[in-house]
Amino acid sequence: MCRCREKQRKESSRLQTVNRKLTAMNKLLMEENDRLQKQVSQLVCENGFMRQQLQTAPTVTDASCDSVVATPQHSLRDANNPSGLLSIAEETLSEFLAKATGTAVEWVQMPGMKPGPDSIGIFSISQRCGGVAARACGLVSLEPKKIAEILKDRPSWFRDCRNLEVFTMFPAGNGGTIELVYSQIYAPTTLAPARDMWTLRYTTSLENGSLVVCERSLSGYGAGPDAAAAAQFVRAEMLPSGYLIRPCEGGSIIHIVDHLNLQAWSVPEVLRPLYESSKAVAQKMTIAALRYVRQVAHETSGEVVYGLGRQPAVLRTFNQRLSRGFNDAINGFNDDGWSLMNADGAEDVIIAVNSTKNLIGANNSAHSFSFLGGILCAKASMLLQDVHPAVLVCFLREHHAEWADFSVDAYSAALWKAGSYAYPGMRPMRFTGSQITMPLGHTIEQEELLEVIRLEGHSFAQEDAFVSQDIHLLQICSGIDENAVGACSELVFAPIDEMFPDDAPLLPSGFRIIPLESKAKDTQEVLTTNCTLDLTSSLEAGLAINHAAVDGSSSHSLRSVLTIAFQFPFESNLQDNVATMARQYVRSVISSVQRVAMAISPSGLSPVLGPKLSAGSPEALTLAHWICQSHSYHLGAELLRSDSVGGDSVLKHLWHHPDAILCCSLKSLPVFIFANQAGLDMLETTLVALQDITLDKIFNESGRKALYTEFAKLMQQGFACLPAGICMSTMGRNVSYEQAVAWKVLSAEENAVHCIAFSFVNWSFL
């Protein structure tokens, strides 16, 4: 009888909790419905006003959206007194509340995140407004003050936040505070700089008992606190954003708004969709914040059971440290001790070295390894097409042997743990094929997994036959939901001892795949200019083309950026050896990942966007020889000195040639596939981003006419000379050149046209 009563009591308590949550969710939905009705009414009024204006005036300028989101730039120099600060703070509060609960921003439902009983909240993204913005609203079983404390500690839940420092704090009314905050945000790839911000953060209570934390950027304060590191950051802008936390029965209702201007102009064109995506902001910041608070609330309830007897807070710390170490490796900040070994830009794999001997474990505890000369990081980024990030990451997680070299992994793990192996004595080993996964924990929705991986190895050396050669990796896998729109997928891991302590030092490596929103392009409209560069029609006149090398679609259903970063410990006298090994290893991993991506690609085509050409690759070396040989064949002149055309030196000399040399593919919409350093400088782009630039984009009207006029001659005699003119960089700057020479690049068999090369002589910015 007592057991039945206890069961009934627990069931009654559970049903009451569910009922409270449903009541709160119903309240949220009613508020959202009310907001949408107000927005519809506003749009109807605006539509009527516009109709009236159109009837009375011939032209009307519509700047409604920009006027809604535009915010004045408040300078820190204008906020030297408490009254000035309070005025800025109150204005920020008003604008934030208008976004959180009003119609100041035109919100649309986040794709793939429909509200309902099983949803964690209501999610929206901005439409047609300045910057990128996202909003979330959900129920959490924590009190408002605890939620505010968690959310203000941004580095704990926002994985891209490198640093947040509160430099000044002033008291405000209602027991609130005004803070001046400096933040740094990691760059997600090696192709773009990191961001930083100076903001004013205002915490206050409203008359209805709600707690508000709102924030906005302050301008006019120059670089960050460390002037030496300022060059590695681009100043971003936070428009009025924050958190509205309302107490309710059983917890709190949270409204979150993130509104940013990430300065997309400062990144290569191919990456700009990422910096202009409200979906990406929603996944990385807005949804992540709500999920983290709910996770803490879930753990506080005592309902969570994790593996290996680890406490939830410890496992969260492991997640944060793995993610932070991986971000540090990708960004390579100077103030962390990183410096580049190959700084000329001629390598496809970037090698950076950090000679710091003290590595930080949990709780900032230092671990000194006297045998270590430092840490070396080999990293690279590339574009993929027609590959779903979540599918690729899941495969890499489950099939370590498909892309890793067990001998290299074993060497790194052994040196990291005990320093027992030196590089010349690295043991040849093989992977037995057995990969055992031991789960440690996961988030409520299982969008992030923490686990220990044991890879069983076997040594070829007879003296090691009876010694365990297993490798243990602490691994975090995230972004594996194929339906999550705009979410990046990651696999980050670090070698550990079998019984790793809570404060064990970690050396993370891994993969990050970021989806890029494709911009719909009307190819026909692009080609139908006043002077169409119709390469295809000209080539149909009996010319042989190597279609395997140059064919490809000009638009792709799914594009993403893959970033790889692997860290290796090294002894002081073996830095160059380890650097060579690391470069070769990462290139091998890249090739393996490309094979995997091709295998799982729905189309079965190569996943690399455009021909696989990077400055240090064998393909680039082959192309360099073809460029020089074809130049001599067609023009009867040497592009390079005769003493520089042997072996690998041809690529090096071509890379450093003073003229801007570019190669474009042969298809209906020609795109650039390779450029030397001068070419990249002229276009103000990178090798990866180059493959997204079409030929017609760089020429002005007169340049296109000149090329069109000479194109038949180019295809008949193999080369053509274009007069002096002006072209344009990807940043919109005009570039003048004295002469441009174009020639056909033939493959080794000299019976197929591989691409067209251009050499811009004596170019300079205007």
Side-chain angles (χ1 to χ4, degrees):
M1 180 69 72
C2 292
R3 186 177 300 175
C4 291
R5 288 178 179 174
E6 180 64 20
K7 186 176 181 180
Q8 288 178 346
R9 188 188 64 79
K10 288 183 178 179
E11 181 65 14
S12 177
S13 176
R14 187 187 69 81
L15 291 175
Q16 288 176 3
T17 302
V18 172
N19 183 61
R20 285 196 299 267
K21 290 182 178 179
L22 290 175
T23 301
M25 182 60 69
N26 182 60
K27 184 179 180 181
L28 286 177
L29 291 173
M30 290 176 64
E31 290 177 352
E32 180 68 7
N33 183 61
D34 183 58
R35 185 194 66 81
L36 290 174
Q37 288 181 352
K38 290 180 180 178
Q39 185 171 339
V40 169
S41 299
Q42 180 179 344
L43 291 174
V44 170
C45 293
E46 290 178 358
N47 185 50
F49 176 75
M50 292 298 295
R51 286 176 180 271
Q52 183 179 359
Q53 291 292 94
L54 288 172
Q55 292 174 358
T56 58
T59 59
V60 176
T61 301
D62 180 11
S64 58
C65 184
D66 291 338
S67 65
V68 166
V69 299
T71 57
Q73 290 292 308
H74 294 288
S75 171
L76 282 175
R77 296 187 181 92
D78 298 333
N80 290 327
N81 59 79
S83 60
L85 285 171
L86 186 57
S87 174
I88 298 173
E90 291 293 341
E91 184 178 308
T92 303
L93 172 63
S94 176
E95 294 186 30
F96 160 67
L97 292 176
K99 297 176 185 179
T101 61
T103 58
V105 170
E106 183 180 348
W107 299 108
V108 296
Q109 182 178 296
M110 174 77 175
M113 303 291 286
K114 293 183 179 180
D118 298 327
S119 173
I120 66 171
I122 302 172
F123 302 98
S124 308
I125 56 175
S126 61
Q127 185 178 23
R128 296 192 302 271
C129 75
V132 287
R135 188 179 69 168
C137 184
L139 173 68
V140 177
S141 55
L142 289 175
E143 62 175 3
K145 287 186 178 180
K146 179 63 176 177
I147 294 173
E149 177 185 329
I150 294 171
L151 293 176
K152 289 175 74 171
D153 184 17
R154 193 176 294 141
S156 68
W157 57 266
F158 182 29
R159 298 288 173 81
D160 285 357
C161 184
R162 182 197 184 207
N163 188 31
L164 185 148
E165 297 180 66
V166 178
F167 277 82
T168 309
M169 179 183 294
F170 299 93
N174 297 328
T177 57
I178 296 174
E179 301 164 295
L180 300 183
V181 180
Y182 176 73
S183 306
Q184 294 176 339
I185 303 174
Y186 288 110
T189 78
T190 61
L191 305 174
R195 266 55 182 160
D196 68 350
M197 294 183 294
W198 278 103
T199 57
L200 179 145
R201 186 166 68 184
Y202 181 34
T203 304
T204 188
S205 297
L206 303 182
E207 292 181 356
N208 62 4
S210 298
L211 185 61
V212 176
V213 180
C214 56
E215 194 170 2
R216 77 161 349 128
S217 280
L218 295 172
S219 64
Y221 207 64
D226 186 353
Q232 292 185 278
F233 294 89
V234 170
R235 180 60 46 83
E237 179 187 5
M238 177 182 288
L239 291 89
S241 306
Y243 320 106
L244 169 62
I245 311 167
R246 299 189 298 177
C248 68
E249 186 179 0
S252 305
I253 296 175
I254 315 175
H255 297 260
I256 303 174
V257 173
D258 292 302
H259 194 173
L260 303 169
N261 180 355
L262 296 174
Q263 310 298 340
W265 60 266
S266 64
V267 303
E269 185 175 358
V270 69
L271 284 182
R272 288 178 193 173
L274 174 63
Y275 286 76
E276 296 169 345
S277 171
S278 292
K279 300 185 188 77
V281 170
Q283 291 287 358
K284 278 189 167 292
M285 294 187 68
T286 319
I287 299 175
L290 184 56
R291 279 177 171 161
Y292 185 81
V293 174
R294 292 184 75 248
Q295 183 71 28
V296 174
H298 191 55
E299 293 169 358
T300 304
S301 68
E303 301 175 6
V304 184
V305 178
Y306 287 98
L308 301 184
R310 305 281 176 160
Q311 293 297 317
V314 173
L315 298 181
R316 282 205 311 272
T317 301
F318 277 131
N319 288 358
Q320 294 162 1
R321 290 170 54 208
L322 283 171
S323 181
R324 184 177 184 84
F326 185 55
N327 275 322
D328 283 335
I330 291 174
N331 285 259
F333 292 112
N334 296 335
D335 56 355
D336 281 341
W338 290 100
S339 60
L340 295 178
M341 287 186 64
N342 55 331
D344 61 356
E347 287 287 350
D348 54 333
V349 177
I350 301 171
I351 302 295
V353 63
N354 191 330
S355 298
T356 303
K357 294 182 183 292
N358 288 332
L359 299 162
I360 304 301
N363 302 319
N364 293 326
S365 57
H367 295 258
S368 179
F369 295 84
S370 59
F371 62 87
L372 287 180
I375 304 299
L376 187 144
C377 179
K379 51 191 174 181
S381 294
M382 70 184 73
L383 291 176
L384 299 178
Q385 70 179 41
D386 205 19
V387 176
H388 199 293
V391 176
L392 180 55
V393 161
C394 285
F395 187 94
L396 296 175
R397 168 182 172 248
E398 297 168 3
H399 303 278
H400 195 90
E402 293 292 335
W403 52 267
D405 185 319
F406 194 83
S407 296
V408 175
D409 287 354
Y411 155 72
S412 296
L415 183 58
W416 177 245
K417 289 187 292 185
S420 56
Y421 297 159
Y423 178 77
M426 186 173 70
R427 268 65 162 168
M429 305 178 71
R430 67 178 176 87
F431 180 50
T432 65
S434 178
Q435 175 176 323
I436 300 174
T437 301
M438 295 170 280
L440 286 179
H442 58 78
T443 51
I444 302 174
E445 300 171 72
Q446 299 198 20
E447 78 279 354
E448 185 173 273
L449 309 174
L450 181 67
E451 54 201 8
V452 172
I453 305 297
R454 189 178 77 187
L455 306 174
E456 295 185 353
H458 175 73
S459 176
F460 290 117
Q462 187 173 0
E463 63 270 20
D464 294 332
F466 299 101
V467 179
S468 173
Q469 305 297 337
D470 297 350
I471 298 175
H472 293 82
L473 301 174
L474 180 65
Q475 180 170 281
I476 182 175
C477 185
S478 61
I480 54 178
D481 181 3
E482 296 181 38
N483 298 318
V485 179
C488 82
S489 302
E490 288 185 354
L491 181 67
V492 182
F493 46 86
I496 56 170
D497 189 79
E498 184 175 1
M499 299 301 296
F500 61 102
D502 292 348
D503 64 343
L506 301 176
L507 191 65
S509 302
F511 307 88
R512 173 179 290 154
I513 310 174
I514 307 173
L516 297 174
E517 293 184 28
S518 58
K519 293 184 177 180
K521 295 180 181 179
D522 188 343
T523 304
Q524 190 64 34
E525 182 180 341
V526 173
L527 291 175
T528 312
T529 56
N530 292 336
C531 291
T532 303
L533 297 178
D534 191 355
L535 301 184
T536 304
S537 60
S538 301
L539 290 168
E540 286 175 351
L543 291 171
I545 306 175
N546 184 354
H547 286 282
V550 302
D551 196 15
S553 172
S554 61
S555 61
H556 308 283
S557 58
L558 180 65
R559 296 191 306 169
S560 53
V561 177
L562 167 65
T563 297
I564 300 175
F566 279 72
Q567 299 192 76
F568 304 88
F570 64 87
E571 295 185 354
S572 301
N573 60 330
L574 297 172
Q575 177 176 317
D576 293 338
N577 301 63
V578 175
T580 301
M581 179 270 290
R583 183 179 291 110
Q584 294 173 348
Y585 181 57
V586 169
R587 284 177 178 166
S588 173
V589 170
I590 290 173
S591 298
S592 299
V593 172
Q594 288 172 346
R595 288 195 301 270
V596 170
M598 185 182 300
I600 65 177
S601 171
S603 65
L605 300 175
S606 171
V608 180
L609 188 60
K612 186 178 62 178
L613 289 175
S614 52
S617 66
E619 292 83 2
L621 178 59
T622 301
L623 179 59
H625 281 281
W626 292 353
I627 291 171
C628 296
Q629 292 168 0
S630 300
H631 186 278
S632 301
Y633 176 78
H634 293 304
L635 281 79
E638 297 288 343
L639 183 63
L640 303 178
R641 302 191 311 271
S642 58
D643 61 348
S644 65
V645 295
D648 295 349
S649 62
V650 63
L651 177 57
K652 181 177 180 181
H653 284 79
L654 183 68
W655 180 262
H656 294 291
H657 198 284
D659 294 340
I661 300 174
L662 304 98
C663 297
C664 73
S665 62
L666 291 171
K667 52 186 179 182
S668 59
L669 187 60
V671 296
F672 289 107
I673 61 174
F674 187 75
N676 66 349
Q677 184 63 64
L680 297 179
D681 292 342
M682 184 183 79
L683 295 183
E684 296 185 289
T685 187
T686 65
L687 271 176
V688 175
L690 179 76
Q691 300 179 29
D692 202 50
I693 303 172
T694 56
L695 180 62
D696 65 296
K697 284 186 178 181
I698 74 166
F699 285 105
N700 61 10
E701 187 65 26
S702 60
R704 283 195 290 268
K705 287 182 179 179
L707 179 58
Y708 184 75
T709 302
E710 297 292 328
F711 188 74
K713 180 180 178 182
L714 165 65
M715 302 313 298
Q716 290 174 5
Q717 70 179 26
F719 73 96
C721 296
L722 307 180
I726 295 176
C727 61
M728 184 177 296
S729 77
T730 59
M731 297 298 181
R733 289 209 287 173
N734 289 328
V735 182
S736 67
Y737 54 89
E738 291 185 4
Q739 185 187 38
V741 180
W743 68 97
K744 294 189 297 185
V745 176
L746 306 177
S747 64
E749 296 78 14
E750 295 189 3
N751 61 355
V753 181
H754 181 75
C755 60
I756 299 295
F758 292 86
S759 176
F760 294 86
V761 182
N762 292 336
W763 65 272
S764 62
F765 289 109
L766 296 179

